[in-house]
Amino acid sequence: MEQRIGSSSQPLETAAVDPAAIPGLTSPVPAEPEDGVPESAEEAAPGEATSAAEAEEEAEAETEAEIETEAPEGPVFEASDRRAKIIADHSGVRLYLDDQECEFRWDEIGAVETETSRFGKRFTVTVHTPDRRWYPVEIEAKAKSQHQEWETELDAVLDTYFEDEKDEKDEKDEKDEKDEKDEKDAEEAVAAEEAEESAS
C-alpha cells in the first residue's frame, strides 16, 4: 500500500485562517498620521521601556538581597547532577528536574523519604504532602560513597527545620484543644448557673 509523504495542494482551510492565501487580495494600507511621520510604540516612549526594565531589575535585586539577609545560619542540603537538583534549607525543600521546579514550605510537607539504589549510584529523595501526593527526584552520585554523606546532611536539615515545624504545630494544636476545652467548660458553667436560677 502506498502512503503519501506530503500533499502538493494547499488545503482549503487556509483562506479562512489567512486571507492572504487568496490570490489578488491585498492587506489594507495603514493610515499615515497628519504630520507624515509614522510613530511606533517603541519609538514613542524609549525612556519608559528602559525605566520599566530598570525598575524590574531593581526589584529583583532587592528581593534577592532580602532573601540573602533573611537566611538564618543553619544546615543546608544541596545535591545535584546533570539533570536534577535538590535543595533543603530554612525555607523548605526545592526539587528541580530539567526545566521543571517545585518548592515546598516545611508546613506543606508530610514526610521526606530517601532511597538508594542497590547496585547503582542513584539517590532518590521523595517529598510526601499531607494530601497523599508524592514528588520523587533521582540524583546520580559520582560515587556510591556519596549516598551516606547526602543522607547525613539531609538528616541534619530535617532534624533542624522539619521537626521544629512539627513541634510548633503540635504545641499550637495542644493549645487550641486546651482553649476549646476551657471555652466549653465555661459554657457548661454558665448553662448550669442559668438552670439553677430558672429552677429557683
Side-chain angles (χ1 to χ4, degrees), residues 36-52:
V37 178
E39 193 173 339
S40 68
E42 294 175 4
E43 294 174 357
E48 292 176 12
T50 56
S51 64

Side-chain angles (χ1 to χ4, degrees), residues 159-175:
D159 289 344
T160 302
Y161 301 116
F162 187 58
E163 296 301 324
D164 289 345
E165 293 288 329
K166 285 272 194 193
D167 292 343
E168 289 174 11
K169 191 174 182 181
D170 291 343
E171 289 174 10
K172 184 181 176 193
D173 291 343
E174 288 176 11
K175 184 180 178 187

Side-chain angles (χ1 to χ4, degrees), residues 27-60:
S27 62
V29 178
E32 289 187 23
E34 293 177 11
D35 59 356
V37 178
E39 193 173 339
S40 68
E42 294 175 4
E43 294 174 357
E48 292 176 12
T50 56
S51 64
E54 290 173 2
E56 216 173 281
E57 289 175 7
E58 289 176 10
E60 288 178 10

Side-chain angles (χ1 to χ4, degrees), residues 113-159:
E113 176 185 9
T114 60
E115 183 181 346
T116 58
S117 62
R118 186 170 177 183
F119 298 110
K121 296 185 270 183
R122 283 195 314 262
F123 181 74
T124 305
V125 175
T126 306
V127 175
H128 296 270
T129 59
D131 59 348
R132 295 185 180 180
R133 293 184 181 263
W134 62 93
Y135 303 88
V137 169
E138 288 184 346
I139 294 184
E140 191 166 329
K142 293 178 182 164
K144 187 132 173 119
S145 61
Q146 219 174 7
H147 290 185
Q148 189 61 35
E149 178 186 330
W150 285 346
E151 207 54 74
T152 55
E153 288 177 12
L154 184 59
D155 282 343
V157 172
L158 293 175
D159 289 344

Side-chain angles (χ1 to χ4, degrees), residues 105-117:
R105 294 185 320 266
W106 289 112
D107 60 341
E108 297 175 325
I109 298 173
V112 177
E113 176 185 9
T114 60
E115 183 181 346
T116 58
S117 62

Side-chain angles (χ1 to χ4, degrees), residues 6-79:
S7 175
S8 62
S9 63
Q10 293 286 340
L12 295 175
E13 294 86 54
T14 58
V17 177
D18 185 11
I22 301 173
L25 190 63
T26 59
S27 62
V29 178
E32 289 187 23
E34 293 177 11
D35 59 356
V37 178
E39 193 173 339
S40 68
E42 294 175 4
E43 294 174 357
E48 292 176 12
T50 56
S51 64
E54 290 173 2
E56 216 173 281
E57 289 175 7
E58 289 176 10
E60 288 178 10
E62 288 175 8
T63 55
E64 288 176 7
E66 288 175 8
I67 290 171
E68 290 175 3
T69 57
E70 291 176 8
E73 293 297 320
V76 175
F77 170 73
E78 188 168 339

